[in-house]
């Protein structure tokens, strides 16, 4: 790789070649997985390039194309699967400086890809009491472009479903990786070409997202004697048509008392909980519903007098639950599970009984294809890779599909099949295969058999040392 020639080509554009900083910007939250930690620890780029405008971005892509240098896009690097890690070195393309908020109008916002999600909400609230429909629990750090290219859903998904659902992204502007990069405006069906494609087939240079009404959301935590009580309550709450909630997250003991240190005084040891975030105008009705369940309110942000130092509920939810567990017990890892409607409750009960204390339950209720069901992000007391594989197999044999967070490829972390639309778009938009190499199996090894059960090993993965 002729990095010197690249630097000369990029005169005037911000680059960083200090090896310590380059290595830091070559990482994401891959270390949540002991498997990925071992595989990817050594991965680093040669250069970080940070365009400020779309025309600078085009110059970078053009130069890298000419010199055959791989380019791995990065928002703010909060992804979990080594998504933003440059497996074959080359350039990490930081989009963080393309963060302008350009248009806020009724029902929509237009921004650069690097805009931080909470900054978008801050601007939309100030402008017209609006906010994004869905955000990851990394609200305060993640970029909107990274969320679209690498995330799936999160806080708000109980009302709006996920990013894959029609209508949750309005438009994306995408730059291709060709001799003369093209700028494409994607809407409707075409959005699927690049959403959740890890930046393997185009660089998002502008996003247009739908907005909804913003409220002063209220955090409440409900306590239960057992995890299954919390799960049944969460399911019933999700089905309440008249209550507006933004988060419903049952979490099993011992996690709340042991891992949520700042909230510990609100919990009993051995208590399971359900985190709820509810609109202020729904609060009284929500409390009445909860009373009917005979459930105990252990925390209510409206009546609590001292909120100082307490994180919001969403920073206890989704993958923040795992983060807090990891801070206390570094041997914890996690899985991502779908409990398909309408059998979610019986499957949760069955799989947790089967695996026992080795797995600590954590659910996130969502709308999924129009029904209310839940994902699981259970915490696992990690022992060996073989046992982790066994736990995954037990889930799948019991009708609970796993989105494996211990793999760096799109397919192994997703539906274990080729996404023909994304593959076809890569052929068109990245003919030399320079964008985020190693992440799309269908491109690297079309003959790979997803049913083989074998780990995909990317031949271009940088050698350690
Ligand atoms: C504690 C914690 C909690 C989390 N909670 C959630 C959650 O609730 N929901 C959820 O969906 N995810 C969650 N995540 C994962 C991650 O934080 C989000 O998906 C986040 O939105 C990613 O944004 P980012 O800017 O950090 O992206 P990055 O990690 O920088 O990038 C993510 C992927 O997108 C690609 N990419 C980035 N920018 C572009 C671009 N402009 N064009 C093309 N490709 C691009 C990268 O190459 C990479 O493959 C969580 C992670 C952690 C560590």
């Amino acid at each position: 790789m002729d990095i010197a020639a690249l630097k000369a080509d990029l005169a005037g554009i911000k680059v960083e070649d200090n090896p310590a900083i380059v290595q830091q910007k070559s990482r994401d939250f891959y270390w949540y997985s002991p498997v990925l930690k071992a595989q990817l620890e050594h991965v680093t780029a040669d250069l970080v390039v940070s365009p400020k405008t779309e025309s600078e971005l085009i110059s970078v892509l053009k130069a890298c194309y000419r010199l055959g240098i791989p380019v791995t896009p990065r928002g703010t690097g909060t992804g979990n699967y080594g998504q933003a890690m440059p497996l074959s070195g080359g350039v990490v393309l930081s989009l963080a400086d393309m963060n302008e908020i350009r248009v806020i109008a009724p029902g929509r916002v237009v921004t650069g890809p690097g805009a931080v999600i909470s900054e978008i909400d801050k601007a939309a609230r100030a402008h017209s009491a609006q906010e994004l429909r869905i955000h990851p629990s990394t609200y305060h750090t993640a970029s909107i472009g990274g969320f679209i290219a690498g995330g799936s859903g999160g806080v708000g998904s109980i009302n709006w479903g996920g990013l894959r659902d029609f209508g949750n992204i309005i438009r994306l502007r995408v730059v291709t990786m060709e001799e003369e990069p093209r700028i494409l405006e994607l809407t409707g069906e075409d959005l699927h070409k690049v959403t959740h494609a890890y930046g393997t087939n185009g660089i998002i240079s502008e996003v247009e997202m739908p907005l909804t009404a913003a409220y002063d959301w209220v955090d409440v935590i409900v306590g239960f004697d057992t995890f299954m009580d919390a799960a049944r309550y969460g399911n019933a709450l999700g089905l309440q048509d008249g209550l507006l909630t933004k988060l419903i997250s049952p979490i099993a003991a011992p996690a709340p008392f042991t891992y949520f240190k700042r909230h510990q005084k609100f919990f009993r040891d051995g208590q399971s909980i359900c985190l709820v975030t509810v609109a202020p105008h729904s609060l009284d009705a929500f409390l009445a519903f909860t009373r009917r369940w005979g459930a105990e309110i252990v925390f209510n942000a409206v009546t609590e007098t001292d909120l100082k130092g307490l994180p919001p509920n969403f920073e206890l939810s989704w993958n923040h639950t795992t983060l807090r567990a990891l801070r206390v017990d570094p041997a914890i890892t996690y899985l991502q599970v779908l409990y398909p409607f309408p059998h979610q409750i019986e499957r949760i009960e069955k799989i947790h009984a089967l695996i026992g204390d080795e797995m600590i339950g954590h659910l996130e209720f969502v709308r999924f294809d129009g029904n209310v069901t839940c994902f699981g992000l259970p915490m696992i007391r990690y022992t060996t890779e073989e046992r982790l594989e066994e736990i995954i197999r037990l889930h799948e044999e019991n009708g609970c599909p796993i989105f494996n967070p211990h793999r760096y490829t799109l397919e192994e972390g997703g539906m274990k099949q080729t996404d023909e639309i994304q593959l076809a778009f890569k052929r068109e938009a990245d003919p030399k295969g320079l964008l985020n190499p190693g992440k799309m199996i269908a491109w690297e090894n079309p003959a790979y058999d997803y049913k083989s059960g074998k780990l995909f090993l990317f031949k271009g993965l940088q050698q350690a040392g």
Side-chain angles (χ1 to χ4, degrees):
M1 269 186 248
D2 195 345
I3 298 296
L6 179 66
K7 277 190 195 160
D9 269 10
L10 298 184
I13 298 176
K14 189 168 137 194
V15 300
E16 176 62 64
D17 61 2
N18 176 319
I21 300 174
V22 173
Q23 175 151 70
Q24 187 204 338
K25 299 275 184 206
S26 300
R27 293 182 160 177
D28 58 14
F29 282 68
Y30 72 109
W31 52 267
Y32 269 39
S33 159
V35 180
L36 292 181
K37 190 164 168 22
Q39 282 175 0
L40 304 183
E41 185 82 340
H42 65 282
V43 164
T44 187
D46 296 277
L47 198 65
V48 179
V49 185
S50 306
K52 289 196 171 64
T53 61
E54 192 179 72
S55 68
E56 285 190 359
L57 167 64
I58 290 170
S59 304
V60 178
L61 296 179
K62 223 169 147 166
C64 289
Y65 182 90
R66 188 174 66 79
L67 294 164
I69 295 177
V71 172
T72 300
R74 173 189 170 93
T76 52
T78 69
N80 287 107
Y81 327 115
Q83 288 158 302
M85 293 181 71
L87 301 189
S88 302
V91 163
V92 160
L93 177 70
S94 168
L95 281 312
D97 291 344
M98 289 178 61
N99 58 2
E100 194 191 346
I101 297 173
R102 297 194 181 118
V103 179
I104 301 170
R108 63 192 187 88
V109 61
V110 179
T111 78
V116 168
I117 295 175
S118 60
E119 294 297 320
I120 300 174
D121 267 9
K122 205 155 99 189
R125 258 175 189 266
H127 179 274
S128 42
Q130 300 187 87
E131 63 181 24
L132 292 165
R133 290 176 173 179
I134 316 168
H135 67 77
S137 63
T138 43
Y139 185 59
H140 290 296
T141 46
S143 75
I144 190 74
F147 186 39
I148 292 166
S152 52
V155 186
S157 288
I158 184 61
N159 287 311
W160 294 101
L163 285 173
R164 66 180 197 120
D165 288 310
F166 275 121
N168 281 336
I169 300 169
I170 299 173
R171 177 180 61 89
L172 296 175
R173 197 171 155 99
V174 172
V175 182
T176 64
M177 182 61 161
E178 296 172 278
E179 188 173 355
E180 287 300 330
R182 286 171 295 149
I183 298 171
L184 308 173
E185 298 274 359
L186 305 182
T187 57
E189 193 81 65
D190 286 340
L191 290 168
H192 181 69
K193 293 174 177 172
V194 294
T195 56
H196 204 79
Y198 293 1
T200 53
N201 57 11
I203 306 297
I204 299 166
S205 63
E206 184 176 86
V207 313
E208 183 167 348
M209 296 296 278
L211 296 174
T212 183
Y215 298 106
D216 293 329
W217 295 96
V218 179
D219 285 341
V220 179
I221 304 178
V222 190
F224 296 90
D225 289 338
T226 71
F227 174 55
M228 282 316 298
D229 287 346
R232 286 194 189 88
Y233 165 87
N235 195 58
L237 178 59
L239 291 172
Q240 285 295 307
D241 294 326
L243 294 180
L244 184 57
T245 53
K246 199 172 180 181
L247 187 74
I248 304 177
S249 325
I251 301 169
F257 186 82
T258 315
Y259 302 145
F260 298 168
K261 290 290 184 201
R262 305 236 198 109
H263 282 81
Q264 196 177 51
K265 64 178 178 191
F266 300 106
F267 308 137
R268 282 192 308 275
D269 196 3
Q271 193 169 39
S272 294
I273 61 167
C274 185
L275 304 169
V276 181
T277 296
V278 58
H281 54 269
S282 281
L283 182 63
D284 289 338
F286 158 76
L287 292 173
F289 167 83
T290 301
R291 250 177 257 123
R292 268 201 194 170
W293 268 76
E296 180 190 354
I297 303 286
V298 296
F299 173 82
N300 178 345
V302 168
T303 50
E304 184 54 40
T305 46
D306 184 14
L307 296 173
K308 217 166 84 221
L310 289 182
N313 267 4
F314 70 76
E315 287 181 357
L316 304 175
S317 75
W318 290 88
N319 232 346
H320 269 78
T321 316
T322 323
L323 178 62
R324 289 181 193 281
L326 270 166
R327 280 192 186 144
V328 175
D329 180 355
I332 292 281
T333 192
Y334 77 118
L335 287 176
Q336 297 175 149
V337 190
L338 172 64
Y339 296 105
F341 178 86
H343 303 295
Q344 62 270 26
I345 292 296
E346 66 212 56
R347 294 209 179 149
I348 293 164
E349 189 156 29
K350 187 167 177 202
I351 196 74
H352 281 270
L354 197 62
I355 296 172
D357 285 348
E358 198 177 355
M359 185 161 91
I360 306 170
H362 167 199
L363 310 173
E364 295 291 344
F365 278 90
V366 296
R367 277 181 79 82
F368 192 88
D369 291 341
N371 298 305
V372 171
T373 187
C374 58
F375 287 107
L377 288 91
M379 290 155 275
I380 309 282
R381 300 183 202 275
Y382 183 74
T383 48
T384 63
E385 212 173 318
E386 291 68 34
R387 178 58 187 159
L388 189 63
E389 288 300 317
E390 169 96 0
I391 294 174
I392 291 174
R393 189 179 55 73
L394 287 170
H395 275 81
E396 291 181 333
E397 284 173 4
N398 284 282
C400 308
I402 294 279
F403 301 92
N404 193 343
H406 304 281
R407 297 286 183 268
Y408 56 75
T409 62
L410 280 161
E411 292 93 338
E412 291 166 295
M415 301 302 289
K416 285 129 197 131
Q417 62 188 36
T418 296
D419 186 324
E420 297 293 349
I421 295 172
Q422 294 190 342
L423 175 63
F425 189 62
K426 185 166 173 76
R427 289 199 185 105
E428 189 192 311
D430 178 27
K432 282 193 185 173
L434 292 169
L435 290 180
N436 207 351
K439 306 291 168 60
M440 190 191 275
I441 298 179
W443 176 270
E444 309 294 346
N445 178 6
Y448 178 79
D449 174 9
Y450 299 106
K451 294 200 180 71
S452 70
K454 281 201 202 115
L455 175 75
F456 172 75
L457 287 175
F458 173 47
K459 287 205 180 72
L461 180 64
Q462 255 177 11
Q463 295 307 306

